[in-house]
Amino acid sequence: MRDIAAEVGIMPASLYHHFSSKEDLLVSVVSESVAKIQRAVDAAIEDIEEPWVRFTAAILAHVEALLDREGFQVLVMLTLPPEISDTARASLISHRNEYERRFTSLLSAFNTPDGTDQRVLANLILGMLNSIPIWYKVDGGSSPREIGQNILSLVKGAFAQ
Amino acid sequence: MRDIAAEVGIMPASLYHHFSSKEDLLVSVVSESVAKIQRAVDAAIEDIEEPWVRFTAAILAHVEALLDREGFQVLVMLTLPPEISDTARASLISHRNEYERRFTSLLSAFNTPDGTDQRVLANLILGMLNSIPIWYKVDGGSSPREIGQNILSLVKGAFAQ
DNA sequence: GTCTATACTACGATAGAC
DNA sequence: GTCTATCGTAGTATAGAC
């Protein structure tokens, strides 16, 4: 809380005018992050009918929103602090599940190979996407668009039409 | 430290007979976790020559070691605590990089599609693998072997021979 | 190798003035 | 909406007996 206050430029106590507790702030951050990505994906796919084009547009929008500066905070989508309360944990997991559900629905238009499970595939792909900030280099590495191309070349095999 | 001591069944102070600090303990946990996966992968591929078979064996061994009970600690491979010291951070990152380097070398036998980068592909695949514990359900969900099948069906597209 | 006891610090949160 | 001041607690770590 002290670090966040310093970043914002106010005293730690002033944070409690905006958030009732540390956990409340965390839940807000995650909610905002997920909502930001969700909005970007929705905007990217709204006019697209063809399933594969729609799916690839969603992936690219997700990656770009994730890496679009100040978007790195979505890393908290990945791991939940173990000491968190049950109510906060339930709230955070529900946000993750809601996004996962929508993402999975993008896959339902495809015939996936025998032995595959669309929910497992969706979780695998989302895990891959959301891990990018861990190794992404802002300067000198691959651009979000180049990373997106690598992702699509990986993913296309499971959804050959 | 109190939680860990309670889990082990000793007093918090007794931990300092085995580790010089909290960070020292963290570095040990990560080192052990990475080494455990590395050993499992090495054992799985040592007698295999054919690149694709070798690569798939490495992926399956990685997933099984990751999910093999008490292996969940490797989750710390993913995100580093922001408050960690520079020396501890450097140590943890070097373990991650060493494993990434070896994993990337398994890809060097393949012709990857135009526009792809083998290091990016390796990072994407590792991010996907190491995210599995986040959504993996011990009871009722897919087994490690089933998850492995889904992974291979995703990955095979980028390395068609 | 584990214990008791404790020092010291960092943290989350509150009260009340402005 | 932000401040100053501070409370209470939990955290990491140390000292020294057994």
Side-chain angles (χ1 to χ4, degrees):
Chain A
M1 300 299 275
R2 285 167 158 85
D3 289 349
I4 292 170
E7 196 74 25
V8 180
I10 61 178
M11 289 289 110
S14 305
L15 288 174
Y16 288 84
H17 179 74
H18 305 276
F19 304 95
S20 65
S21 68
K22 182 185 172 183
E23 283 197 341
D24 180 43
L25 193 158
L26 174 65
V27 171
S28 292
V29 169
V30 176
S31 302
E32 289 284 329
S33 296
V34 177
K36 177 187 167 185
I37 293 194
Q38 187 65 258
R39 281 194 302 272
V41 169
D42 286 347
I45 68 176
E46 64 175 347
D47 294 327
I48 304 178
E49 295 282 339
E50 204 283 314
W52 174 250
V53 180
R54 193 173 161 85
F55 179 55
T56 59
I59 287 179
L60 292 175
H62 183 116
V63 172
E64 286 182 8
L66 189 68
L67 298 181
D68 179 32
R69 305 288 156 168
E70 84 226 59
F72 274 57
Q73 72 272 40
V74 191
L75 201 55
V76 291
M77 271 181 73
L78 287 171
T79 45
L80 302 181
E83 71 275 13
I84 209 172
S85 75
D86 285 348
T87 56
R89 161 168 285 110
S91 172
L92 297 175
I93 289 179
S94 79
H95 282 103
R96 186 150 82 202
N97 286 348
E98 168 65 11
Y99 187 82
E100 180 213 315
R101 196 187 58 71
R102 292 228 229 166
F103 195 84
T104 304
S105 75
L106 290 172
L107 301 183
S108 61
F110 301 105
N111 289 320
T112 47
D114 279 354
T116 62
D117 177 320
Q118 292 193 331
R119 288 193 57 191
V120 172
L121 289 174
N123 275 308
L124 287 169
I125 295 168
L126 284 175
M128 175 167 65
L129 301 184
N130 291 327
S131 298
I132 295 171
I134 293 171
W135 49 268
Y136 179 72
K137 300 263 182 283
V138 176
D139 298 315
S142 300
S143 69
R145 187 161 295 271
E146 288 167 335
I147 293 171
Q149 279 309 311
N150 283 275
I151 294 167
L152 295 181
S153 77
L154 264 182
V155 165
K156 67 167 189 275
F159 308 103
Q161 288 177 293
Chain B
M1 299 301 273
R2 287 176 211 271
D3 290 349
I4 292 170
E7 195 75 26
V8 180
I10 59 178
M11 289 288 109
S14 304
L15 288 174
Y16 288 84
H17 178 75
H18 305 274
F19 304 95
S20 67
S21 68
K22 182 185 172 182
E23 284 197 341
D24 180 43
L25 193 158
L26 174 65
V27 170
S28 291
V29 168
V30 176
S31 302
E32 289 284 329
S33 296
V34 176
K36 176 186 166 184
I37 293 194
Q38 187 64 258
R39 282 193 303 272
V41 169
D42 286 346
I45 68 176
E46 65 176 345
D47 294 327
I48 304 177
E49 295 283 339
E50 204 284 313
W52 174 251
V53 181
R54 194 172 160 86
F55 180 55
T56 59
I59 288 179
L60 292 175
H62 183 115
V63 173
E64 287 182 7
L66 188 68
L67 299 180
D68 179 31
R69 305 289 155 168
E70 84 227 58
F72 273 57
Q73 71 271 42
V74 191
L75 201 55
V76 291
M77 271 181 73
L78 287 172
T79 44
L80 302 181
E83 71 274 16
I84 210 172
S85 74
D86 286 348
T87 56
R89 162 168 284 109
S91 172
L92 297 176
I93 289 180
S94 79
H95 282 104
R96 186 151 83 201
N97 287 348
E98 167 64 11
Y99 188 80
E100 181 213 313
R101 196 187 58 72
R102 292 227 228 166
F103 195 84
T104 304
S105 75
L106 289 172
L107 300 183
S108 60
F110 301 104
N111 289 320
T112 47
D114 280 355
T116 62
D117 177 319
Q118 292 192 333
R119 288 193 56 192
V120 171
L121 288 173
N123 274 308
L124 287 170
I125 295 169
L126 284 174
M128 175 166 64
L129 301 184
N130 291 328
S131 298
I132 294 172
I134 292 170
W135 50 267
Y136 179 71
K137 301 262 183 282
V138 176
D139 298 315
S142 300
S143 67
R145 188 158 295 271
E146 289 168 335
I147 293 171
Q149 279 309 310
N150 283 276
I151 293 167
L152 295 181
S153 77
L154 264 182
V155 165
K156 67 166 189 276
F159 307 103
Q161 287 179 293

